[in-house]
Amino acid sequence: MALKIASRFRRLLQRPGSIDLGPYERLTQLVGEAEESVQSLTDEELTEAATELRTTGGLHEDEQIEFLALARDAGRRALGERAFDGQVVGALAMLQGRVVEMATGEGKTLAGAIAAAGYAIGGRKVHVLAVNDYLAKRDAEWMGPVYELLGVTVSHVGQVSTPEERREAYQAEVCYVPVNEIGFDVLRDRLVTDVADRVTVDADVALVDEADSVLIDEARVPMVLAGATRSEALDDDVVQLVRTLRAGVDYEIDGDGRTVALTDRGTDKVEKALGARAEEQAAEERAAEERAAEERAAEEAAAEEAAADEAATDLTTDDAETVDASAADEPEADDAEAEESEPKEFNLYADENLDRLTQINVALHAEVLLRRDVDYLVRDGKVSLINNNRGRVAKLQRWPDGLQAAVEAKEAVPVSDSGEVLDSITVQALVKRYKTLCGMTGTAVVVGESLQEFYEVDVAVVPPNTPNIRKDDPDRLYLTVEQKNEALVKHIGVVHESGRPILIGTHSVEESEQLSDKLAAAEIEHVVLNAKNDAEEAAIIAEAGVPGTVTVSTQMAGRGTDIRLGGRDESHDKEKAIELGGLYVIGTGLHASRRLDDQLRGRAGRQGDPGGTLFFASLGDELVTRYSVSSGLRPHPDETGRLTDRKSIGVLEHAQRVADGANAELHRTTWQYNRLTGQQRAILLETREKVLTEDLAATELAERAKERYDELVDEVGEDVVKAAARRIALGHLDRRWTDHLAYLADLREGIHLRSLAGGIVHLKPIDEFNKSAIASFDTLIEDAWKDAAETFGTAEITADGLDEEASGIPRPTATWTYLVNDNPFGTEADRILGRLRNAIKPESVAEPEEILQEEFDEDDLPEELRDVDDGDDGDDVDDVDEPEELRDAADDEKPDKKD
């Protein structure tokens, strides 16, 4: 009951999952009192005092107070930065397993280092999970002197680190490592055949930087280890065919812009084209066969002619009649042959054409839904995905299921290698391996409930050291995108004339470059930071606070660089920047998550500096067109296109809430599907670990093939046989797991259709998935042992060991890692379910407003919002009910109906 009351109280304060800081603040006062005695110590004495606190059971409260006093002074000596009380509170919260929310510029990096050192002094191994190589290396080196004074070893891992460097780095008490790199190392360690080849250590404490981005935004992104290289190149005929299809005629895009499907007319067009191509190929094959037959006939003609003449002289009358009868039947045979040669109707959905259907679908997705400079870049002859959460290139990331190859074919670049998945792990599953989880970020409260649901961690909101005086202006909403952009550029010009530094946040590379062109046309000098020049980000962002500077940037999350008024060293007219009102942040549109808007806003008003923010939006923005509707909307824009009525603004706010909810549900669904797979993986890994570190393989195979085992022991020695048995067992366990993952991938694609076959009300897709997954895994380990015993009976084992290639269990000749970008399209089954939900959904209880033609013409609406609420218009777009909070507004403004 007490927990429920506390949860409701947190909701009332709009701080779900947050905790009371009172106990931490009390301890912080005691730390301040202990600090005076620490300041008189020499550096050596401070290190010795920290060493004396070392334990293996974690620091108790009194020990934490002493340690924090030492750590605060170590920061003062090593960096010239004495931790504020808020930083000490943050470190205490992290030492208690919390995710700390601290505003940008409040010193999260030092607070995290103090917490990491505290865990290390308490006998724990800490991985500080960063979002990229740059931040991992920077923070490890930056905080290095603090760790050194406290007697704690520190290291970092990056993409270029060798296996030996990684192995050494993970041995340090605190290791800064990008979350992707530790994930890939864990996957590689799971496939080693010798313990000495491992690089990682047991997962103990994870301290996550940018915790909301890592734990929520990227939690469902799978990291993949692949092998057995193959090519996924699309037929050029398919690529060219898809380019001839027309939107709204041959294919339709759903209301969310996430799926695209052929219409009946499009299917007919594709089938006709593919059928003609198939017939053409068949004709070519027949012609080739006929030419070959003619050549063979010509070679045999001379010999056959003599034999035919001799046979002709011996013919009897009966034989002749038989020949005549046979000849009479020949036309019928010709008719049958002609009938068989007639073109057959091409069925795109026939089982034998499944590969063609798949190619058409992925090519259509690539052509229609994935946009260059928005979803991906093309540079250096390669397709590089853009991480929308960070506005930068997503290194080593690719789309699954042939989609990557389809985009590469679309852009006419070489198709990259692919292969079978040897193993994979999501960020969420990776993080949940750790015994203790904590972290820090600038925006955690908004995802507080999700952090509790998925990780069972609370949020500690640390107030800023200096009150925030930033001014956040209300969003400005316009009718169309064009009107919004016109007002945006005009407003930037007005502010720029005053000399105030401006940071403009855009949503994509394409948008940043389009805005750059508009600013250039308006003769406004500016710099651009996007995924195309992310290597320059630190230098660009660091100078964004200089008066007169206009900086255009994509998503600011994880940039890791503070914006100081007056520039990096605060020497470029800092006082002038303050007088002008500080950094002015402008958003070109609201993000799908309010948290991302807050991250952008947080760049202004650092450590009590003045600042301001303003977001522009329009009813034509993708956020509104994808997640909201115009039902009953009666906009009355002013001469600039700006909307100020409560209902229009409510539509914008509602769209953002719907988007947030949709992403949360996607996260929840993904975790449900991955949870069972994780449990099965744990069972398999337990067996694999025994095989790798013990003599389980030898024991099992000695029982299953005793005669063969004894024979080999006599021939090559027991040690050699044990090693061979181990490699055989590991090979078959890994093979069975790879096949199981492939089965689960196919199963998940079609599980919705299977549930429909049993009745959508009675069968849940996740239940059907789990049932089939359990049945598939039930005999996996036993089947692997049977395979191993069979291989052991015939394997080539000499004094030099096992010949894996000759024995039929070769290891992958090469492996590589990548991240699978979330497939943004869903499946045909998802679309079917969407249509069913739409069909059975009750009609909205809210009546649409009557809109008089003389008051408002639908043509005034953005094109994306027209004809949305005309009822059943024949498309597959779900009609979304009007939000409850907008119905009251509609009732207030609704005119009286005429009789």
Side-chain angles (χ1 to χ4, degrees):
M1 176 62 74
L3 290 176
K4 288 184 178 179
I5 294 175
S7 176
R8 290 173 182 172
F9 185 67
R10 291 170 185 167
R11 282 180 182 274
L12 184 63
L13 297 179
Q14 294 186 340
R15 289 190 172 186
S18 59
I19 62 170
D20 179 19
L21 297 182
Y24 300 140
E25 292 171 343
R26 178 180 61 82
L27 290 178
T28 299
Q29 292 179 352
L30 298 177
V31 170
E33 295 171 3
E35 186 179 2
E36 187 175 341
S37 61
V38 172
Q39 293 176 347
S40 62
L41 300 177
T42 65
D43 288 354
E44 293 76 13
E45 289 172 338
L46 189 151
T47 303
E48 183 179 349
T51 303
E52 290 176 356
L53 286 174
R54 283 186 172 273
T55 180
T56 57
L59 300 177
H60 298 299
E61 187 172 291
D62 292 343
E63 294 169 330
Q64 283 185 353
I65 293 170
E66 184 177 353
F67 162 74
L68 289 168
L70 293 169
R72 175 183 255 180
D73 206 55
R76 180 183 62 82
R77 300 182 190 200
L79 307 177
E81 298 180 10
R82 175 184 175 275
F84 301 131
D85 284 355
Q87 289 170 290
V88 175
V89 168
L92 274 167
M94 282 185 270
L95 284 170
Q96 295 294 323
R98 317 293 190 190
V99 169
V100 174
E101 175 174 299
M102 297 176 67
T104 301
E106 291 296 315
K108 290 188 293 290
T109 304
L110 178 57
I114 292 173
Y119 277 115
I121 295 292
R124 310 286 299 275
K125 286 270 191 179
V126 185
H127 291 160
V128 181
L129 303 183
V131 295
N132 56 45
D133 283 23
Y134 164 71
L135 292 179
K137 182 175 186 293
R138 185 204 71 174
D139 292 351
E141 294 177 347
W142 181 15
M143 296 293 120
V146 177
Y147 287 113
E148 184 178 357
L149 274 176
L150 295 172
V152 174
T153 57
V154 64
S155 63
H156 66 88
V157 170
Q159 285 188 25
V160 298
S161 300
T162 65
E164 189 54 44
E165 290 171 339
R166 291 168 185 268
R167 188 176 295 109
E168 181 180 353
Y170 286 125
Q171 293 301 317
E173 293 172 303
V174 177
C175 179
Y176 285 76
V177 54
V179 64
N180 296 340
E181 290 304 312
I182 181 65
F184 293 144
D185 285 337
V186 166
L187 289 175
R188 283 186 285 257
D189 279 359
R190 286 177 173 177
L191 287 180
V192 299
T193 56
D194 191 324
V195 175
D197 293 334
R198 284 177 171 165
V199 299
T200 61
V201 296
D202 291 341
D204 191 5
V205 178
L207 194 158
V208 186
D209 192 12
E210 300 292 347
D212 58 332
S213 178
V214 172
L215 299 180
I216 302 300
D217 297 336
E218 299 180 7
R220 61 181 184 266
V221 177
M223 291 168 280
V224 174
L225 179 66
T229 303
R230 59 185 171 84
S231 176
E232 290 184 336
L234 285 182
D235 291 344
D236 187 61
D237 291 343
V238 170
V239 176
Q240 297 303 324
L241 172 59
V242 165
R243 287 178 177 170
T244 66
L245 302 179
R246 294 175 295 169
V249 177
D250 300 319
Y251 63 83
E252 292 179 347
I253 304 172
D254 78 341
D256 289 342
R258 293 174 67 88
T259 60
V260 58
L262 291 173
T263 62
D264 291 341
R265 181 169 177 174
T267 299
D268 292 341
K269 182 175 182 178
V270 169
E271 288 180 337
K272 183 177 180 181
L274 292 179
R277 178 56 182 157
E279 180 58 30
E280 181 181 338
Q281 291 176 342
E284 292 174 355
E285 292 174 0
R286 287 195 300 270
E289 291 175 358
E290 289 173 1
R291 285 194 299 271
E294 289 173 359
E295 291 174 359
R296 287 193 303 269
E299 294 174 358
E300 298 172 355
E304 291 179 350
E305 183 176 356
D309 290 342
E310 183 178 353
T313 59
D314 297 334
L315 280 175
T316 64
T317 304
D318 292 340
D319 292 332
E321 291 176 356
T322 302
V323 171
D324 292 341
S326 299
D329 291 336
E330 283 180 4
E332 295 181 11
D334 291 340
D335 291 341
E337 184 178 345
E339 182 178 345
E340 291 179 0
S341 65
E342 290 181 1
K344 296 181 179 179
E345 184 177 348
F346 187 91
N347 182 0
L348 184 60
Y349 297 94
D351 291 343
E352 63 270 19
N353 295 323
L354 178 60
D355 289 343
R356 280 293 193 185
L357 175 60
T358 300
Q359 288 189 342
I360 289 291
N361 280 333
V362 295
L364 188 60
H365 287 146
E367 183 69 27
V368 176
L369 298 181
L370 294 180
R371 295 165 293 173
R372 184 169 178 164
D373 290 341
V374 176
D375 300 299
Y376 64 90
L377 299 176
V378 178
R379 62 183 185 183
D380 301 327
K382 296 179 180 179
V383 170
S384 299
L385 276 66
I386 297 175
N387 185 322
N388 291 324
N389 293 322
R390 299 179 190 153
R392 67 185 73 190
V393 169
K395 297 178 181 177
L396 297 179
Q397 194 160 333
R398 58 183 291 127
W399 285 292
D401 302 328
L403 192 55
Q404 181 79 18
V407 176
E408 290 165 339
K410 169 186 175 181
E411 297 295 344
V413 301
V415 176
S416 57
D417 289 334
S418 184
E420 64 180 352
V421 175
L422 303 178
D423 202 1
S424 68
I425 187 172
T426 61
V427 172
Q428 182 166 345
L430 173 73
V431 171
K432 288 182 75 70
R433 297 166 58 252
Y434 289 86
K435 300 171 185 175
T436 301
L437 173 64
C438 61
M440 52 193 178
T441 183
T443 48
V445 167
V446 178
V447 291
E449 289 184 335
S450 294
L451 290 172
Q452 277 194 336
E453 177 181 355
F454 298 116
Y455 302 98
E456 298 178 354
V457 295
D458 288 326
V459 173
V461 182
V462 179
N465 180 60
T466 305
N468 184 357
I469 60 173
R470 184 186 70 230
K471 181 183 177 183
D472 298 324
D473 291 330
D475 303 334
R476 293 191 184 180
L477 177 64
Y478 291 81
L479 188 65
T480 67
V481 175
E482 292 74 18
Q483 291 169 328
K484 177 192 74 171
N485 288 335
E486 183 178 350
L488 171 68
V489 173
K490 183 177 181 180
H491 185 71
I492 293 171
V494 171
V495 177
H496 179 58
E497 285 182 3
S498 70
R500 188 175 185 180
I502 303 173
L503 173 66
I504 307 166
T506 63
H507 289 195
S508 66
V509 174
E510 180 184 49
E511 186 181 15
S512 68
E513 294 184 340
Q514 289 175 351
L515 178 59
S516 177
D517 291 341
K518 291 181 174 65
L519 293 177
E523 299 183 350
I524 300 174
E525 292 188 9
H526 61 282
V527 292
V528 179
L529 171 61
N530 58 35
K532 290 186 177 180
N533 63 342
D534 54 1
E536 307 167 27
E537 67 178 58
I540 294 175
I541 289 298
E543 301 304 317
V546 175
T549 300
V550 177
T551 306
V552 180
S553 174
T554 50
Q555 176 53 243
M556 292 297 299
R559 294 292 182 187
T561 303
D562 282 349
I563 300 177
R564 300 172 183 265
L565 296 182
R568 187 196 308 266
D569 55 6
E570 302 183 357
S571 62
H572 296 82
D573 295 325
K574 177 179 180 180
E575 294 303 320
K576 180 180 179 181
I578 293 175
E579 291 175 4
L580 292 171
L583 180 67
Y584 191 57
V585 171
I586 298 176
T588 60
L590 298 185
H591 293 84
S593 171
R594 178 163 59 91
R595 185 166 40 84
L596 299 180
D597 294 340
D598 291 343
Q599 289 173 355
L600 180 57
R601 288 190 180 96
R603 293 293 170 173
R606 172 186 174 275
Q607 291 188 0
D609 286 339
T613 68
L614 173 63
F615 278 72
F616 286 74
S618 81
L619 293 183
D621 287 352
E622 184 178 8
L623 174 68
V624 178
T625 59
R626 173 176 290 190
Y627 295 107
S628 193
V629 293
S630 63
S631 177
L633 191 61
R634 184 175 56 188
H636 293 287
D638 62 16
E639 63 279 1
T640 67
R642 184 175 177 181
L643 300 168
T644 57
D645 62 284
R646 186 158 59 97
K647 186 166 186 179
S648 296
I649 294 173
V651 166
L652 181 66
E653 295 172 346
H654 173 69
Q656 194 172 52
R657 288 197 299 274
V658 171
D660 250 336
N663 288 328
E665 185 60 28
L666 182 59
H667 183 175
R668 189 172 295 109
T669 301
T670 302
W671 177 239
Q672 287 176 338
Y673 278 99
N674 287 330
R675 184 162 48 187
L676 177 63
T677 308
Q679 294 169 350
Q680 293 177 340
R681 182 183 288 107
I683 294 172
L684 179 81
L685 289 177
E686 183 179 1
T687 300
R688 197 182 194 281
E689 182 69 11
K690 291 179 180 178
V691 172
L692 185 65
T693 60
E694 302 173 12
D695 291 332
L696 178 60
T699 302
E700 281 282 345
L701 295 181
E703 291 179 0
R704 294 170 184 265
K706 185 173 183 355
E707 186 176 338
R708 171 68 168 163
Y709 189 89
D710 293 340
E711 177 187 334
L712 286 172
V713 169
D714 292 339
E715 291 180 4
V716 300
E718 189 169 17
D719 289 343
V720 174
V721 176
K722 285 183 176 180
R726 179 179 298 114
R727 295 182 76 87
I728 289 173
L730 291 174
H732 283 293
L733 283 170
D734 294 341
R735 179 71 260 166
R736 285 285 178 173
W737 179 249
T738 297
D739 292 343
H740 183 62
L741 288 179
Y743 169 74
L744 294 183
D746 292 341
L747 177 65
R748 183 171 175 182
E749 283 296 309
I751 199 62
H752 293 85
L753 293 178
R754 184 179 302 185
S755 68
L756 283 175
I760 190 171
V761 177
H762 303 291
L763 298 177
K764 293 182 179 179
I766 184 64
D767 293 338
E768 289 297 290
F769 175 86
N770 287 343
K771 185 188 302 181
S772 298
I774 290 171
S776 172
F777 184 79
D778 192 42
T779 61
L780 186 149
I781 294 177
E782 175 59 25
D783 290 342
W785 282 122
K786 290 179 180 178
D787 295 343
E790 183 178 343
T791 299
F792 185 72
T794 59
E796 293 191 18
I797 303 173
T798 65
D800 294 330
L802 172 71
D803 186 336
E804 293 181 332
E805 188 74 32
S807 301
I809 51 167
R811 307 295 296 181
T813 56
T815 62
W816 69 98
T817 54
Y818 60 87
L819 288 90
V820 178
N821 189 62
D822 291 332
N823 190 334
F825 312 119
T827 64
E828 178 64 23
D830 296 328
R831 291 192 289 273
I832 292 172
L833 284 175
R835 294 168 192 169
L836 283 176
R837 285 194 298 266
N838 193 41
I840 63 176
K841 185 174 60 180
E843 297 182 0
S844 172
V845 297
E847 296 183 2
E849 289 186 89
E850 292 183 349
I851 303 176
L852 301 180
Q853 186 66 29
E854 61 270 22
E855 292 181 338
F856 173 66
D857 191 334
E858 187 187 58
D859 291 339
D860 292 335
L861 271 176
E863 183 176 353
E864 299 90 337
L865 292 181
R866 297 175 193 166
D867 296 327
V868 175
D869 54 337
D870 289 343
D872 185 4
D873 54 5
D875 64 14
D876 296 326
V877 180
D878 288 355
D879 296 323
V880 182
D881 292 339
E882 186 178 5
E884 183 176 353
E885 62 268 25
L886 297 186
R887 295 174 192 159
D888 295 338
D891 292 339
D892 292 342
E893 299 175 6
K894 189 180 300 182
D896 294 331
K897 293 185 178 181
K898 298 179 181 180
D899 295 334

